[in-house]
Each structure stands twice: as C-alpha cells, then as structure tokens.
Amino acid sequence: MYTTLISCRQLMEAPAESLIVLDCRFQLDNPDYGHAAYEQGHIPGAHYLHLDYHLSGSKNGQNGRHPLPDGQRLAVDLGALGVGENTQVVAYDDGTGQYAARAWWLLRWLGHDKAAVLDGGFAAWKAAGGAVDAEPPQRRPAASPSAARCRRRWTPARCKPIWMKKHSRWWTPAARNASAAWARR
C-alpha cells in the first residue's frame, strides 16, 4: 500500500485490478488544457479529474476560487470510477504536483488511505519509458466505504445520468448543476 508517493517503477509493477489512476493535469490560466492534454495521451487506464468540476465544489462568490467539493458527491463520483475500500489510487499531473496533491488530500479527507501521488508526475512517467494511451478507460464501479455511508442521499438512480456517460467526459458543468439541484431535494 502506498500512502504518499509512488515511483514510476512501482506504478508500472502495481497490479492493475486493484489500481485506479487519476490524471489531474490542469492550468489555472487555461482550464481546458488538462482535458485536452488527457485526450492527447495519458497513463493507460487513467481517469481524468478536472479541478473545477471534480476536485472543487460549487462557487457562491464568497467561498474562493476552488472550494472543497461536497464529500458525498465526491465519494459517489470516485466510487463510479472504481475506487473501493481495497483500491490503490495514484494521482498525477504534469506540473509541480499541486493538482495531484489536491486529489490525494481529498481522498484522505474522505478516509481513503490507499492514495499516493506519482513522484515526478507525467513527465517522469514518460522519461521512465511508461506507456502512454489516448483511449478512455473502462470504468469498474465500486461501492467505496465513503459512498456506502452516503447512500441514503445519493442513490445510483440519482447518479446514473452523470457518471454513465459514453466516455471520459462523465462530468460536465451542466451535469454539475443538475447534481446540485438533486441535492436540494
């Protein structure tokens, strides 16, 4: 189990069936950069998480640029990607690690200890000869412990329109607004 950093070699040797990789690339001055970079190439099997849509909550004008997301919503989203109790999660970005570290921190905040940041990020992965893929990954939905605690409010029927999209763009601003409307019911 890796709980802080994981090397490229360790990630290459990790068993894929118990591993979820999160691509967290982002640029504050170009919010579309991360998803475009992800579509150009990413670590095989990686899921893209956007800072504004996945790793932050809704802004109300008084809570900052990237407020914490709703814990229940985040737990359900991560469970939809396959994050479960025994899943090792590895986050990476292509900068100084700040966006991957945010994903790592949020996972720890939810109580998921098996979370690590890829040491050196995407650049180190490519330099180590790691494979790069442009295909969206297959999802393996799992009931994470955090999601199980939130089940009364977030049932699969309520979440299905958001996370059962055809490809990696499983969360859009429109879906986020719909999700917020469901939460107010």
Side-chain angles (χ1 to χ4, degrees):
M1 173 172 77
Y2 300 96
T3 59
T4 53
L5 289 174
I6 186 170
S7 71
C8 294
R9 182 186 55 76
Q10 291 167 325
L11 179 56
M12 289 176 192
E13 295 171 357
E17 62 276 355
S18 62
L19 178 71
I20 296 292
V21 180
L22 304 176
D23 184 321
C24 303
R25 291 181 279 178
F26 189 80
Q27 290 179 348
L28 290 174
D29 61 346
N30 182 4
D32 295 328
Y33 162 79
H35 195 267
Y38 172 82
E39 287 183 333
Q40 291 295 313
H42 53 268
I43 294 175
H47 298 273
Y48 180 69
L49 294 184
H50 194 282
L51 175 66
D52 290 334
Y53 306 136
H54 306 109
L55 302 177
S56 298
S58 299
K59 300 176 208 171
N60 64 17
Q62 298 177 1
N63 59 356
R65 185 189 310 194
H66 296 106
L68 287 177
D70 177 74
Q72 292 176 332
R73 177 78 247 158
L74 180 61
V76 170
D77 290 342
L78 292 170
L81 295 179
V83 177
E85 187 174 350
N86 297 313
T87 308
Q88 174 68 58
V89 180
V90 176
Y92 72 91
D93 61 30
D94 61 357
T96 59
Q98 64 194 26
Y99 306 114
R102 182 178 178 102
W104 171 85
W105 186 88
L106 288 169
L107 283 156
R108 301 291 299 227
W109 178 59
L110 289 176
H112 190 81
D113 294 331
K114 296 179 181 179
V117 172
L118 180 61
D119 193 9
F122 193 59
W125 176 262
K126 290 192 302 186
V132 176
D133 190 6
E135 293 298 316
Q138 295 294 319
R139 283 197 210 93
R140 307 177 306 229
S144 69
S146 301
R149 287 192 296 266
C150 304
R151 224 176 250 144
R152 282 178 299 214
R153 186 167 180 192
W154 295 106
T155 64
R158 288 178 135 179
C159 299
K160 187 174 180 180
I162 295 170
W163 58 265
M164 294 299 287
K165 298 284 184 185
K166 287 195 283 188
H167 51 73
S168 64
R169 293 182 194 208
W170 56 277
W171 181 287
T172 63
R176 182 176 200 85
N177 292 339
S179 173
W182 286 336
R184 288 190 293 270
R185 287 187 196 175

